[in-house]
Amino acid sequence: MQFTGTGRYVAPPDLAIAVNAAVTLERPLLVKGEPGTGKTELARQVAESLGLPIIEWHVKSTTKAQQGLYEYDAVSRLRDSQLGDARVHDVANYIRKGKLWQAFEAPQKVVLLIDEIDKADIEFPNDLLQELDRMEFHVYETGETIPALHRPVVIITSNNEKELPDAFLRRCFFHYIRFPDAETLRAIVDVHYPGLKRGLLDQALTQFFDLRDTPGLKKKPSTSELLDWLKLILAEDLTAEDLRRDPHTLLPRLHGALLKNEQDVALFEKLAFMARRPR
């Protein structure tokens, strides 16, 4: 089982090595990187490449680790007992299986994505230590232990919004997805928009990297935002000449696909104003 990327996902050699190392070691792969660099999509493409089903657990600020295992619906059981429902005598009827349980009982090996783990409470990663390490957990309401029939390939993503506990990090294989260089970015664009005119792509990439390199930018545009921008450029049938920046604002055409807050838009307008001032 070797991951090398897919026809729709360009995986740099260091990323492919990290995925394969995590699979070999049977440890969770912790993937960090700025938003929009393809961390979530990586898990889907690993599943496709290895021919495995994928189970996705998207973490929110309110998500608790227990929800990944199971939830006991005591309210429904109480209601059913008041209605005289016979189901109430079997507590298993009120156990809702979480994503980890689904991955553990799957009849074949699966890819388990735990997406944006840093969104949850700081205790969230620690609460999963034993389950991810031993690949089993106990259901207190029924007294049963649920072991993993097949150890899943676990891929965990983080946007680095908060530090993760050392004990959790020790159990993971870590990889940071660096922002693609120009050559890799060209390869990514070619996957999504094959046959894009070279002159148009050269101009678009030049403006894109100039934008990212602007000092003081609050949010740098990502790979996904570049692809959105190119889609709009193609839809508008713009040429390389059309992409010249507006000298009054220094903003590129259709800049709303690249800049996502008013501070960054104002920054370029300020730079344009300063450039027009007499010296």
Side-chain angles (χ1 to χ4, degrees):
M1 299 174 70
Q2 289 288 309
F3 173 72
T4 57
T6 67
R8 296 185 294 112
Y9 191 92
V10 178
D14 60 337
L15 178 56
I17 289 171
V19 171
N20 293 320
V23 172
T24 300
L25 292 172
E26 295 188 323
R27 288 189 175 274
L29 173 63
L30 174 61
V31 183
K32 290 187 178 183
E34 62 183 84
T37 49
K39 300 185 296 296
T40 302
E41 187 62 24
L42 170 66
R44 296 167 183 156
Q45 296 305 315
V46 168
E48 179 180 317
S49 175
L50 302 182
L52 302 176
I54 185 170
I55 294 175
E56 301 186 15
W57 183 15
H58 299 284
V59 177
K60 301 178 181 179
S61 60
T62 56
T63 303
K64 303 298 181 184
Q66 180 65 30
Q67 294 172 303
L69 306 178
Y70 68 91
E71 292 183 275
Y72 170 52
D73 191 354
V75 174
S76 292
R77 193 181 189 195
L78 175 61
R79 183 193 61 227
D80 288 348
S81 69
Q82 294 170 339
L83 296 174
D85 194 321
R87 295 173 69 251
V88 76
H89 299 295
D90 185 358
V91 68
N93 290 325
Y94 303 93
I95 300 293
R96 298 177 181 174
K97 298 177 181 179
K99 298 295 185 180
L100 264 73
W101 191 329
Q102 295 172 31
F104 283 9
E105 73 172 5
Q108 68 176 104
K109 197 178 191 72
V110 301
V111 172
L112 172 63
L113 167 64
I114 304 177
D115 196 30
E116 297 189 328
I117 194 171
D118 53 326
K119 277 188 175 180
D121 185 85
I122 188 63
E123 292 304 319
F124 182 94
N126 279 335
D127 291 342
L128 290 177
L129 284 180
Q130 181 170 317
E131 289 75 14
L132 292 177
D133 203 24
R134 299 177 60 183
M135 284 290 149
E136 65 177 30
F137 64 91
H138 187 71
V139 183
Y140 295 97
E141 289 77 6
T142 63
E144 61 184 325
T145 297
I146 308 297
L149 299 179
H150 305 278
R151 193 178 188 100
V153 176
V154 181
I155 297 179
I156 303 169
T157 72
S158 169
N159 287 327
N160 231 5
E161 291 183 7
K162 64 170 67 81
E163 290 295 322
L164 299 175
D166 289 344
F168 180 79
L169 295 175
R170 282 200 304 272
R171 288 166 170 81
C172 299
F173 190 93
F174 171 76
H175 183 76
Y176 184 86
I177 298 183
R178 295 180 178 85
F179 192 82
D181 58 22
E183 183 179 349
T184 304
L185 210 50
R186 284 180 184 276
I188 292 171
V189 170
D190 190 53
V191 166
H192 293 270
Y193 306 111
L196 190 65
K197 292 180 180 179
R198 185 170 183 85
L200 179 61
L201 179 57
D202 287 346
Q203 180 66 17
L205 288 181
T206 296
Q207 289 205 25
F208 177 75
F209 279 110
D210 284 348
L211 219 63
R212 277 186 58 88
D213 292 340
T214 301
L217 204 62
K218 185 176 181 180
K219 184 195 176 304
K220 295 182 178 182
S222 66
T223 307
S224 63
E225 287 155 346
L226 169 65
L227 295 175
D228 286 345
W229 188 47
L230 289 173
K231 183 177 182 179
L232 289 174
I233 288 171
L234 291 172
E236 295 288 333
D237 197 24
L238 301 180
T239 65
E241 185 62 31
D242 292 330
L243 295 187
R244 304 291 181 189
R245 291 199 199 189
D246 182 343
H248 298 288
T249 63
L250 293 183
L251 291 167
R253 291 283 294 271
L254 303 167
H255 63 270
L258 299 172
L259 301 175
K260 298 302 177 73
N261 59 70
E262 63 277 14
Q263 295 98 317
D264 288 343
V265 173
L267 171 64
F268 282 95
E269 292 172 343
K270 182 179 179 180
L271 292 173
F273 174 74
M274 293 175 64
R276 294 196 305 270
R277 290 177 61 182
R279 299 184 179 181

